[in-house]
Amino acid sequence: MCFGPFPLHQTMASRKESAASGSSPLETPVKQIQIDGLVVLKIIKHYQEEGQGSEVVQGVLLGLVVEDSLEITNCFPFPQHTEDDVDFDEVQYQMEMMRSLRHVNIDHLHVGWYQSTHYGSFVSRALLDSQFSYQHAIEESVVLIYDPIKTAQGSLCLKAYRLTPKLMEICKEKDFSPEGLKKACIGFEIMFEEVPIVIKNSHLINVLLLDLQEKSTVADKHELLNLSSSNHLEKSLQLLMDRVDDMNQDIGKYNTYCRNLSKQQQQKQQYLQRRQQENTQRQSRGEPPLPEEDISKMFKPPQAPPRMDTLLIAGQVNNYCQNIKEFTSQNLGKLFMAEALQGHSS
Amino acid sequence: MLNHMIHVPVSILCFTANFLLIREIHVANVASTGFCQPPTSAGGQQHESHGDLRSLSSSLFIIILHFLYEIMAVHGPVVKIHPVVLASIVDSYERRNEGATRVIGTLLGTTDKHSVEVTNCFSVPHNESEDEVAVDMEFAKNMYELHKKVSPSEVIIGWYATGYDITEHSVLIHEYYSREAPNPIHLTVDTALQSNKMNIRAYVSSQMGVPGKTVGVMFTPLTVKYVYYDTERIGVELLQRTRASPSRTNGLTTDLAQVASAAGRVQEMLTTVLSYIEDILSGKVMADNSVGRFLMDLVNKVPKITAEDFESMLNSNINDLLMVTYLANLTQAQIALNEKLVVL
């Protein structure tokens, strides 16, 4: 399991204080995310060059907070986990990078991290933990999920997520038992919240883009209008099926736990009743009653399975379904276009 | 703080200026042939022509250099640049220190036999004044090490500078970089938009001068090409759209809207082609055979399928997609139910 980059607690301690005194922690502090074009290009490049082998590439986002929107102005990639000393590498690398970037006037405030994903499968324990530690240290941090496969199909797929305040509460208390989750009243749909993204470019970059458009000889490939869909659908469905199987297992486990619990309750009741009966019998016979034994020691309650995984799996299944639906609606549109084209020519 | 200072005595500057002067006279002679030969006759005579000719020489040199850039045959590798590099350069120019007129930095990438591909860059703090230039080389080395950890295949292949000309300081910085990489590339990006365009040029340096006597350095231009990965191109396309909106912002669109916009683009192209054909038919424009052949290709590309076959294909595809949508919806309903029953 790979963990995301760590937030630097030393530099962020002062910011946390100011954030806590400023906005109320229960409201969402970030309503919108503004990304520089440069960040988009860098993330794309990072995946393209380093991400073909392993599926996940990660990096750190730098920027600043402006009123209620988060501006991301730069980013730098994280090296893949190597065989040698991982811990030392990561924190050291991060500190070095941020110090150097400060020299050239790049914003060095850590505001989040990014990760690439494979067919939309990113809801996992590792992501949750990383994002929790980030949000705990920095109120407004987000995780940007970049989907390269969907992007290659025609349009940039970049989403920003944060943990909802409710989920933050639960993670803080680390109470993942069924009762705990029931108390917090959390469902898989309110685990992550998506923050809308807006891309912003400075004037000079716009000039550059104009120049590029004139001079570049790369032809448009129009992947978006590609009709073939079965490959992508197959893979997505395969992943979905795997997840649903996982979910099944989880539900089975929970069911057995519930059954065990109720059986135990019954046993306890029976035992108590028998005790009572015996005691009354003994009293009628004039003998001293048997001592009350400690019930809880005799009947140890079964271990409640942690419910966090269920939530995560449910969230992931939901995500897959969303993606599949988007994909199919696009393809339906394309098929109707193809029909129109045939109608014209024939 | 800058650790290494390159102090440049003014005399050495004069020597390079002299050779620039000589070179540009010579270069004007060989402009038609496109070759550059070391000057044979004008070797050691120009020691008197110092300061006053220097400014004239540099400006003349610049003009001729830019003139030559358009017409000269190019010797040397082709430079392929990714858009992320240019965006980085522009961004670091925007963030430059107060008072600095230009920004320099290192270019990273890969080399090939005939081409150099620039895939990454980082800026390096430097101080520049009339007679001296100081570059923080420690910083450059550090950054390179850090970058190497992420992408071990990238090497230093040159350096960049914003601004329109190549100054004398560039020669020195170039010398430093030639210690780091064999035959480094120098890239200039004109961020001050002196000719209403952002000129992006690449140069490689070559020795010139009379062997045995003082040797100078000349920058020969190279062709610059822009290369994109597929995903990069899609990203750039999205960024292009920010030009249209007045607040320079742009949201990311949702599924069907994207298909609609792609279809819109194709439709635009079709209308252009149609109007061209109309013009030809009405005699306004001369018919061109090659264009006619392309048009034939275009029309033939729509495959001729019998109506029933196409119907059945279309229907089966639509059925597949509808089934998958139904299943996805069912799954979502199922997990929501499960949630309500079990957790809450």
Side-chain angles (χ1 to χ4, degrees):
Chain A
M1 275 305 208
C2 42
F3 293 97
F6 305 111
L8 300 177
H9 290 273
Q10 305 96 321
T11 53
M12 293 308 137
S14 52
R15 274 198 58 195
K16 192 169 133 200
E17 284 158 19
S18 59
S21 58
S23 56
S24 71
L26 283 183
E27 290 175 2
T28 323
V30 178
K31 299 253 171 10
Q32 181 179 266
I33 302 220
Q34 205 172 269
I35 305 189
D36 261 14
L38 176 65
V39 176
V40 174
L41 285 176
K42 270 190 160 175
I43 296 180
I44 294 178
K45 168 208 179 285
H46 183 211
Y47 177 78
Q48 192 73 32
E49 293 194 347
E50 308 299 328
Q52 306 294 4
S54 75
E55 296 172 353
V56 172
V57 297
Q58 297 170 334
V60 170
L61 298 171
L62 307 163
L64 51 144
V65 179
V66 174
E67 287 166 27
D68 65 348
S69 79
L70 181 67
E71 278 193 27
I72 301 181
T73 51
N74 215 325
C75 67
F76 61 84
F78 231 66
Q80 310 276 22
H81 288 276
T82 48
E83 300 84 46
D84 35 302
D85 207 338
V86 173
D87 274 317
F88 167 82
D89 255 358
E90 287 191 3
V91 181
Q92 184 80 352
Y93 174 82
Q94 241 181 292
M95 303 231 24
E96 283 279 338
M97 211 39 161
M98 300 205 2
R99 216 180 304 144
S100 315
L101 290 177
R102 203 190 310 208
H103 274 299
V104 286
N105 297 338
I106 295 183
D107 295 323
H108 56 276
L109 291 177
H110 219 145
V111 291
W113 58 298
Y114 69 84
Q115 182 177 302
S116 76
T117 176
H118 190 65
Y119 283 107
S121 54
F122 58 87
V123 180
S124 71
R125 199 52 190 273
L127 185 118
L128 190 71
D129 287 337
S130 306
Q131 182 59 16
F132 172 68
S133 58
Y134 257 88
Q135 258 182 262
H136 195 65
I138 307 157
E139 184 78 37
E140 304 89 355
S141 75
V142 293
V143 54
L144 271 187
I145 303 288
Y146 165 65
D147 191 345
I149 296 165
K150 217 154 176 240
T151 307
Q153 283 185 338
S155 69
L156 183 66
C157 177
L158 197 63
K159 299 211 170 111
Y161 289 102
R162 288 169 48 81
L163 300 181
T164 47
K166 278 196 179 158
L167 194 61
M168 290 286 290
E169 289 290 324
I170 294 186
C171 283
K172 251 184 258 190
E173 289 161 36
K174 293 218 188 315
D175 177 17
F176 294 144
S177 64
E179 291 78 26
L181 286 182
K182 215 180 285 200
K183 223 189 324 164
C185 206
I186 194 167
F188 65 85
E189 276 181 357
I190 50 174
M191 278 206 308
F192 292 101
E193 55 180 9
E194 193 179 329
V195 189
I197 296 184
V198 149
I199 298 190
K200 186 167 195 276
N201 278 330
S202 67
H203 291 294
L204 213 48
I205 298 247
N206 279 343
V207 175
L208 175 72
L209 289 173
L210 259 174
D211 218 36
L212 278 180
Q213 199 171 34
E214 284 178 8
K215 299 237 186 87
S216 106
T217 51
V218 181
D220 249 347
K221 270 200 215 149
H222 293 293
E223 292 100 348
L224 196 52
L225 296 176
N226 200 358
L227 271 181
S228 73
S229 59
S230 49
N231 198 16
H232 185 258
L233 264 183
E234 264 180 46
K235 287 220 186 80
S236 315
L237 281 177
Q238 187 71 38
L239 287 168
L240 182 64
M241 288 196 304
D242 287 339
R243 279 273 166 257
V244 170
D245 282 339
D246 282 340
M247 181 150 227
N248 251 342
Q249 280 183 348
D250 212 59
I251 292 178
K253 260 189 261 171
Y254 186 69
N255 277 341
T256 42
Y257 160 73
C258 281
R259 240 178 291 138
N260 283 347
L261 195 64
S262 60
K263 230 189 292 177
Q264 218 190 39
Q265 293 285 65
Q266 273 188 338
Q267 283 178 343
K268 262 197 226 175
Q269 286 295 87
Q270 283 179 346
Y271 180 76
L272 277 172
Q273 273 186 344
R274 257 187 291 130
R275 267 296 150 122
Q276 286 262 325
Q277 276 185 343
E278 269 194 40
N279 278 340
T280 46
Q281 278 183 352
R282 280 178 175 235
Q283 268 188 338
S284 60
R285 273 184 278 163
E287 286 170 19
L290 286 173
E292 288 286 325
E293 283 174 16
D294 197 3
I295 301 281
S296 49
K297 253 194 272 182
M298 282 189 48
F299 293 95
K300 262 197 253 271
Q303 188 74 331
R307 304 299 293 155
M308 187 41 105
D309 286 335
T310 324
L311 260 190
L312 286 172
I313 296 177
Q316 186 61 72
V317 169
N318 192 29
N319 207 22
Y320 281 143
C321 291
Q322 271 310 108
N323 284 350
I324 290 178
K325 282 200 291 193
E326 271 184 27
F327 184 71
T328 52
S329 65
Q330 274 187 327
N331 269 1
L332 275 174
K334 285 186 231 172
L335 279 177
F336 282 123
M337 276 205 314
E339 185 185 20
L341 204 59
Q342 276 291 321
H344 261 284
S345 67
S346 61
Chain B
M1 287 313 290
L2 302 171
N3 298 326
H4 295 264
M5 304 282 273
I6 314 172
H7 291 282
V8 183
V10 181
S11 51
I12 297 185
L13 262 184
C14 288
F15 273 126
T16 47
N18 290 334
F19 278 97
L20 291 178
L21 174 61
I22 298 161
R23 193 207 83 120
E24 118 316 79
I25 294 174
H26 202 74
V27 139
N29 289 338
V30 301
S32 46
T33 59
F35 280 122
C36 281
Q37 295 161 352
T40 46
S41 55
Q45 295 176 9
Q46 309 292 327
H47 288 283
E48 313 91 52
S49 53
H50 283 245
D52 47 328
L53 273 181
R54 193 154 59 124
S55 49
L56 172 64
S57 73
S58 36
S59 47
L60 213 52
F61 152 61
I62 303 298
I63 296 171
I64 294 188
L65 183 68
H66 287 298
F67 166 65
L68 280 175
Y69 201 89
E70 313 300 324
I71 66 164
M72 236 169 98
V74 170
H75 298 269
V78 175
V79 179
K80 300 188 189 151
I81 307 188
H82 282 264
V84 64
V85 172
L86 298 170
S88 264
I89 297 179
V90 170
D91 182 69
S92 40
Y93 176 74
E94 285 174 354
R95 290 168 183 280
R96 65 192 185 285
N97 284 319
E98 283 292 326
T101 44
R102 63 178 196 161
V103 184
I104 66 165
T106 313
L107 292 173
L108 303 170
T110 50
T111 55
D112 202 8
K113 237 177 67 155
H114 299 294
S115 66
V116 172
E117 196 163 335
V118 184
T119 50
N120 205 352
C121 68
F122 57 83
S123 71
V124 175
H126 85 298
N127 273 346
E128 210 169 306
S129 63
E130 263 306 311
D131 45 355
E132 71 182 20
V133 107
V135 176
D136 191 354
M137 315 216 202
E138 189 75 23
F139 180 90
K141 261 199 252 295
N142 250 346
M143 278 294 256
Y144 176 52
E145 290 300 312
L146 290 175
H147 275 264
K148 231 164 112 160
K149 290 212 184 105
V150 181
S151 22
S153 61
E154 285 183 349
V155 286
I156 297 184
I157 52 161
W159 63 294
Y160 70 82
T162 61
Y164 196 56
D165 351 344
I166 301 187
T167 63
E168 302 95 0
H169 305 306
S170 311
V171 179
L172 296 151
I173 306 178
H174 200 85
E175 220 179 307
Y176 160 66
Y177 274 100
S178 27
R179 273 181 261 143
E180 300 281 322
N183 204 14
I185 308 278
H186 174 46
L187 188 73
T188 56
V189 178
D190 181 15
T191 42
L193 302 173
Q194 265 186 349
S195 58
N196 290 335
K197 260 191 192 203
M198 197 175 272
N199 276 313
I200 299 170
R201 301 231 161 112
Y203 305 93
V204 89
S205 81
S206 41
Q207 297 278 330
M208 57 149 238
V210 180
K213 307 240 179 164
T214 9
V215 182
V217 153
M218 183 178 65
F219 285 97
T220 46
L222 305 167
T223 27
V224 168
K225 273 207 187 123
Y226 302 113
V227 237
Y228 301 69
Y229 300 123
D230 284 339
T231 38
E232 261 187 334
R233 193 167 30 81
I234 294 170
V236 171
E237 249 177 85
L238 182 68
L239 296 180
Q240 300 277 13
R241 268 186 263 157
T242 64
R243 290 196 340 242
S245 88
S247 62
R248 294 174 285 125
T249 59
N250 180 37
L252 300 177
T253 54
T254 62
D255 36 334
L256 259 182
Q258 292 162 351
V259 180
S261 59
R265 280 200 293 272
V266 176
Q267 203 170 21
E268 273 177 30
M269 291 195 266
L270 280 177
T271 36
T272 326
V273 173
L274 273 176
S275 59
Y276 172 74
I277 296 177
E278 298 280 320
D279 283 341
I280 290 190
L281 283 179
S282 59
K284 272 191 259 174
V285 179
M286 277 292 297
D288 192 357
N289 276 338
S290 49
V291 176
R293 268 183 284 248
F294 278 126
L295 287 173
M296 270 292 279
D297 270 340
L298 181 71
V299 172
N300 283 338
K301 277 232 166 62
V302 179
K304 283 204 179 57
I305 316 177
T306 58
E308 305 111 26
D309 279 346
F310 186 72
E311 275 288 317
S312 57
M313 274 197 285
L314 188 73
N315 282 336
S316 61
N317 264 324
I318 291 186
N319 279 339
D320 282 342
L321 291 175
L322 285 175
M323 173 191 79
V324 173
T325 317
Y326 175 71
L327 280 176
N329 278 330
L330 194 64
T331 321
Q332 272 184 317
Q334 187 76 30
I335 46 177
L337 258 179
N338 175 50
E339 182 115 10
K340 289 278 180 301
L341 289 176
V342 173
V343 178
L344 297 175

